[in-house]
Each structure stands twice: as C-alpha cells, then as structure tokens.
C-alpha cells in the first residue's frame, strides 16, 4: 500500500466555519507517531499561512508604496503649478499670511493690554499731565493704531470718511476676503 494513501486514510481534517477552528486528527498504532504527524500538519499549515500572509502583505505594501509615489508626484506637480501661478499673477498664500497676521495681532494685543494696565497703574499715582503718563498714553494710542491697521480697519480720515477697509475672515468654509472702499 502506498504511504500517502495510508496517511490519508489515517488523517482527518475538518473546519468549523462558525468558530474558524481547524481540527486535525491522526490515527496510528503509536500515540507518539500520531502526535508527531498531527504536529507536523500544524507546523506545515502555520508555515503556509505565514508565507501567504507575508506574500499578501508584501503585495499590498508594494501597491501602497507605488500609489504613495504617484500621489507625491501629483502633489509636487500641483504645488509647482501653484507656485508658478502665484508668482506670475502676484497672488499670496492666504493661510501663511493669515497665520502671520494672527500672530502679529496677538503680539500687539498682548502689548496693548500690558501697556493699558501699566497706564492705569500710573494714573492711580500721577495726573494725566505727568510725562510718564503722557508717554505711555501715546504708546497705547500707537499700539491701537497698529492693531487697527493690522486688522484691516482704518481710523477715519480728516474728513471723517473711512477710506479703505480690507479684511480676511476665517470660517469653516475657509478664508474669505472682504473689501469696503468709500470716497474720502
């Protein structure tokens, strides 16, 4: 009798589809040989599953790496086209400019608050005619002007009209630019 046929007759392999458990049973006159054969089946199955998983993961990784390269090339190309368009048409990077404006406005606002607090402290000690109070009052006024200029609002002109007002506002839809222009 052929060894394969004898092994096949003495081996039973079944799978419980609900639990995913694979049962391997080997019948032999020697319990040690039956255990060794069943163990060899398990070892071989583990090796095969490992190879298939590694091969599948490798193919998926190679595919994703290729897609990443294509996406990076597309992004670089789009970025290059945007840079060329921006330099050609004189556009600006709204997000970078907006962040810089917010940072500067935050710094100025902090300086303004500190100067106002110091001014209030000096006013409790000195009169408004004191040189330190007048200097700090001028500083507060200058900080307010800088903050208003940065935020896009202008003081009224000598005629009382607002000459130009430009704002950038951020909401969930992105940056929005609004401009108001009135005759001075």
């Amino acid at each position: 009798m052929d060894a394969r046929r004898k092994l096949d007759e003495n081996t039973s392999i079944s799978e419980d589809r609900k639990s995913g458990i694979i049962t391997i049973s080997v019948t032999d006159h020697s319990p040690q040989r039956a255990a060794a054969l069943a163990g060899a089946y398990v070892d071989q199955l583990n090796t095969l599953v490992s190879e298939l998983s590694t091969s599948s993961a490798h193919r998926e990784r190679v595919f994703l790496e290729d897609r990443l390269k294509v996406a990076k090339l597309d992004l670089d190309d789009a970025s290059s086209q945007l840079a060329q368009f921006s330099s050609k048409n004189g556009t600006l990077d709204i997000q970078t400019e907006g962040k810089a404006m917010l940072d500067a406005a935050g710094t100025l606002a902090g300086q303004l608050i500190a100067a106002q607090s110091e001014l209030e402290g000096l006013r409790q000690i000195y009169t408004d005619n004191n040189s330190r109070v007048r200097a700090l009052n001028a500083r507060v006024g200058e900080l307010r002007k800088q903050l208003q200029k940065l935020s896009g609002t202008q003081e009224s002109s000598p005629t009382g009209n607002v000459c130009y007002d430009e704002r950038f506002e951020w909401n969930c839809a992105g940056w929005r630019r609004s401009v108001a222009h009135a005759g001075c």
Side-chain angles (χ1 to χ4, degrees):
M1 189 179 224
D2 187 34
R4 275 193 206 174
R5 187 176 298 141
K6 181 75 173 163
L7 184 60
D8 189 41
E9 288 174 3
N10 292 339
T11 303
S12 168
I13 301 175
S14 63
E15 176 189 7
D16 181 358
R17 295 211 182 261
K18 287 184 181 178
S19 66
I21 294 175
I22 298 174
T23 304
I24 301 173
S25 347
V26 177
T27 307
D28 195 77
H29 298 297
S30 164
Q32 291 83 9
R33 187 170 33 190
L37 287 170
Y41 275 116
V42 170
D43 291 342
Q44 192 61 34
L45 182 61
N46 284 339
T47 301
L48 182 63
V49 167
S50 176
E51 288 174 3
L52 290 175
S53 294
T54 302
S55 175
S56 174
H58 175 72
R59 283 192 311 271
E60 188 173 335
R61 190 186 86 239
V62 167
F63 171 76
L64 291 175
E65 286 173 349
D66 289 344
R67 288 296 304 141
L68 182 61
K69 287 177 188 174
V70 170
K72 282 183 179 180
L73 288 174
D74 289 346
L75 180 62
D76 290 344
D77 184 45
S79 191
S80 174
Q81 288 177 3
L82 178 61
Q84 288 174 356
F85 177 82
S86 293
S87 65
K88 183 178 177 183
N89 296 307
T91 61
L92 50 102
D93 184 357
I94 299 287
Q95 287 183 328
T96 304
E97 293 289 326
K99 183 180 181 322
M101 285 177 60
L102 287 174
D103 289 345
T107 301
L108 281 174
Q111 290 174 355
L112 178 61
I113 290 169
Q116 286 174 328
S117 297
E118 187 179 349
L119 180 60
E120 289 303 313
L122 286 177
R123 282 186 173 154
Q124 290 177 3
I125 300 170
Y126 304 108
T127 65
D128 284 342
N129 291 330
N130 182 280
S131 62
R132 289 175 62 191
V133 171
R134 285 187 304 194
L136 198 50
N137 204 11
R139 173 84 175 127
V140 166
E142 182 59 32
L143 287 170
R144 279 190 183 137
K145 284 181 185 177
Q146 288 177 9
L147 195 55
Q148 287 172 344
K149 183 179 177 184
L150 194 58
S151 69
T153 58
Q154 297 289 324
E155 291 284 327
S156 294
S157 68
T159 62
N161 296 329
V162 173
C163 297
Y164 184 71
D165 185 13
E166 180 176 358
R167 295 175 187 250
F168 290 96
E169 298 172 352
W170 176 259
N171 63 23
C172 60
W175 283 101
R176 184 179 69 119
R177 179 180 180 203
S178 64
V179 178
H181 188 8
C184 295

